[in-house]
Every structure is written in C-alpha cells, then in structure tokens.
C-alpha cells in the first residue's frame, strides 16, 4: 500500500507540475490551447539556444508586452544584436518552430511543454544521425507573466 501511494504521488507530481514531453498532434494541440486559454499577454521569457552555430547561445530574455516583443537582452541588460533577434522567439515563435520542425520530419526530436501554460519548454532536434552539426533546439529557463 505504501509503495502504491508513493507511485501515485510521484505520478501526480510529474504530471501536474513538470513538463510533458510528447510530440503527438493531440498533445501539441492541447499545449497550444492551454497557451491560448491561459498564456499571459505580457511576459518575459528567458531562452537558451542549443546549437553549434554562430551568434549568442543565451540566456537571452525576451520581453513581451500585449503580445508584442518589445526587447531581447542579455542578462546584464545589453540589447541583443538585431541580426540575432529571429533566433530568440516569443512563445508563438516557439510553437512555429515546433510546427516547422514537425513538417521537416527530423531523424530524432523531443518537445517538452509547460503543464500550466502549455508553452514549449524544451525543443531538441537532430536531423542527421551521422553528425551533430545540424542539432538545434531551445530551452526555456523561465517564463514570468507580467501584470
């Protein structure tokens, strides 16, 4: 009885508070709906970019006010160089990245979604099993709603 209680508690903890990692159509649709229903219009999003590419990897804080990106900055407040702006999207941009990735049918990939708001928390993509040069993705370190 005690072991089953622990398993139930762990399951509730993992499904209620943790990210859900899944790439099915249903889970993606549910995540998008949670964002549409619960996502705040103003928030800050702190991203890491996962790649062996040029430019900053992060963390970069994306500031969104009334669904419009108003700034992208390094932790010290220095603005991100404009040529890298598209590499650090807002939440709708992360969903677009997931949609584009799905359409390209990568060799291997995973997506994690926030259990409350639905936004992607991690996206990891590998298009070619022979090389890591094309591996790409994002980690959301933090999403903070702004009143």
């Amino acid at each position: 009885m005690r072991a089953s209680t622990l398993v139930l508690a762990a399951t509730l903890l993992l499904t209620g508070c943790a990210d859900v990692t899944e790439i099915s159509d249903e889970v993606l649709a549910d995540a998008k709906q949670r964002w549409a229903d619960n996502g705040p219009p103003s928030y800050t999003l702190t991203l890491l970019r996962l790649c062996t590419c040029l430019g900053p990897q992060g963390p970069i804080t994306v500031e969104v006010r009334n669904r419009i990106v108003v700034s992208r900055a390094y932790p010290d407040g220095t603005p991100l160089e404009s040529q890298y702006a598209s590499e650090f999207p807002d939440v709708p941009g992360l969903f677009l990245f997931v949609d584009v990735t799905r359409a390209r049918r990568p060799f291997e990939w995973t997506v994690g979604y926030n259990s409350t708001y639905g936004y992607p928390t991690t996206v990891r993509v590998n298009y070619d099993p022979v090389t890591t040069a094309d591996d790409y993705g994002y980690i959301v370190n933090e999403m903070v709603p702004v009143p």
Side-chain angles (χ1 to χ4, degrees), residues 1-2 4-5 8 32 36 39 45 65 70 83 88 121 133 135:
M1 181 73 165
R2 186 177 235 183
S4 63
T5 303
L8 176 61
K32 286 180 176 180
L45 187 70
R65 297 293 176 263
V70 296
Q83 69 264 32
F88 293 91
T121 56
D135 292 4

Side-chain angles (χ1 to χ4, degrees), residues 76-99:
D76 67 0
T78 303
L80 178 68
E81 298 85 349
S82 61
Q83 69 264 32
Y84 299 115
S86 66
E87 300 298 326
F88 293 91
D90 58 358
V91 170
L94 287 171
F95 277 120
L96 179 60
F97 180 75
V98 170
D99 289 339

Side-chain angles (χ1 to χ4, degrees), residues 45-74:
L45 187 70
T46 305
L47 293 170
L48 291 171
R49 185 168 64 140
L50 308 172
C51 64
T52 53
C53 50
L54 297 176
Q57 306 301 304
I60 298 295
T61 298
V62 179
E63 184 178 353
V64 176
R65 297 293 176 263
N66 296 314
R67 296 182 173 80
I68 297 170
V69 174
V70 296
S71 71
R72 290 177 174 90
Y74 293 94

Side-chain angles (χ1 to χ4, degrees), residues 6-30:
L6 288 173
V7 169
L8 176 61
T11 302
L12 290 173
L13 176 66
L14 290 173
T15 59
C17 300
D19 296 334
V20 176
T21 301
E22 179 68 44
I23 56 176
S24 72
D25 292 339
E26 296 81 17
V27 172
L28 175 58
D30 177 64

